[in-house]
Each structure stands twice: as C-alpha cells, then as structure tokens.
C-alpha cells in the first residue's frame, strides 16, 4: 500500500473535501479508495490528490528502507 492510499483511507469519510480540493469527482475519489493495492487513478489525478493532501499539511515520506508513509507536517510556531 502506498503512502497516498494510506492517507486516502484515513480521510475516507472526507471524500467530498478531497474531491473539491483536488478538482476531481467524488466518484473518482471513491473508486480509488476501493482498491487495496494500486489505485485506478491516472497519473494526473494521482498528482491532484497528492497536491490537495500536501496543501492540507500531509507529508509524504520516502521509502528509506522502512517503506513509504505519510505524516502530518509539524506546524510552525508564530514568532512574536
């Protein structure tokens, strides 16, 4: 399972949000969530989902020997 699929599974009940922020249809998002391994998304749609998740604070982690994954980006504290 890739990092994006893990994160999409986490956001499953927010398919409408992901559809709006990736400019994809809810049906496209739901269809991608149904698969266990490889998604049915085109490369362009996969990138749209990734950009939407990254804009929401999700970091995609490279394999680095332990497998790919995702985590929430640490919030930067405001100076002042």
């Amino acid at each position: 399972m890739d990092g994006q699929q893990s994160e999409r599974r986490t956001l499953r009940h927010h398919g409408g949000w992901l559809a709006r922020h990736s400019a994809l249809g809810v049906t496209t998002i739901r269809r991608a969530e149904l698969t266990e391994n490889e998604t049915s998304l085109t490369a362009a749609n996969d990138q749209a989902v990734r950009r939407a998740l990254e804009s929401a604070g999700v970091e995609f982690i490279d394999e680095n020997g332990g497998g790919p994954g995702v985590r929430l980006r640490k919030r930067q504290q405001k100076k002042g």
Side-chain angles (χ1 to χ4, degrees):
M1 177 183 319
D2 67 20
Q4 284 181 306
Q5 188 174 20
S6 298
E7 189 57 29
R8 282 191 304 268
R9 183 167 288 140
T10 301
L11 295 172
R12 183 163 287 166
H13 6 325
H14 302 292
W17 178 93
L18 189 54
R20 280 190 307 281
H21 287 81
S22 64
L24 300 175
V26 174
T27 304
T28 301
I29 299 299
R30 297 279 186 232
R31 188 172 47 249
E33 292 170 342
L34 292 175
T35 59
E36 283 299 317
N37 296 318
E38 295 296 318
T39 68
S40 60
L41 292 173
T42 65
N45 288 352
D46 191 63
Q47 284 301 311
V49 168
R50 182 180 180 117
R51 283 191 302 273
L53 293 172
E54 287 173 339
S55 73
V58 174
E59 277 186 348
F60 290 85
I61 305 165
D62 291 329
E63 194 164 325
N64 295 338
V70 294
R71 66 178 169 220
L72 291 177
R73 185 173 39 241
K74 291 183 181 179
R75 293 183 184 188
Q76 294 184 4
Q77 294 191 9
K78 294 181 181 181
K79 295 180 182 179

